[in-house]
Amino acid sequence: MNALLWLLRGLLFVVLLGLAIKNGSEVELRFYFDTVWRVPLSLALLAALAIGAFLGLMALLPQMIRLRRDMGRLKRQLHDKQPPAQES
């Protein structure tokens, strides 16, 4: 099963690498104040993916912190409610 997973990962890598090579033509990204960024299409798509993933994680960060705090509080409550272990 593990070998099959690595084979699929390798196949996906080769397909994405081929896609990046075939789409190597430059695109112009125009920003404010007449700023132009000329980059390969694959790099622009990779940058957009990375920025989107980062923003998504930052949006989830407050909820993750709150859940970790609640989990710690509940673990302390559970530990306080349990009777001491009986020694034999």
Side-chain angles (χ1 to χ4, degrees):
M1 183 68 178
N2 199 16
L4 181 63
L5 186 61
W6 277 106
L7 181 67
L8 288 174
R9 287 178 183 168
L11 182 64
L12 180 65
F13 176 76
V14 169
V15 167
L16 291 177
L17 180 65
L19 183 68
I21 290 171
K22 295 294 276 184
N23 292 303
S25 61
E26 285 191 348
V27 294
E28 285 186 359
L29 299 176
R30 297 178 184 271
F31 297 102
Y32 298 107
F33 308 113
D34 293 331
T35 305
V36 177
W37 187 32
R38 290 182 179 88
V39 295
L41 177 61
S42 57
L43 183 61
L45 290 174
L46 180 64
L49 175 71
I51 291 169
F54 177 75
L55 291 176
L57 287 174
M58 289 300 106
L60 286 175
L61 190 61
Q63 183 180 5
M64 287 174 35
I65 291 171
R66 185 174 44 252
L67 288 174
R68 283 182 182 264
R69 187 176 50 228
D70 290 346
M71 190 170 57
R73 180 180 50 83
L74 290 172
K75 281 183 179 179
R76 280 192 305 276
Q77 285 178 358
L78 181 63
H79 180 67
D80 292 343
K81 298 267 183 192
Q82 288 181 348
Q86 295 182 5
E87 297 177 15
S88 48

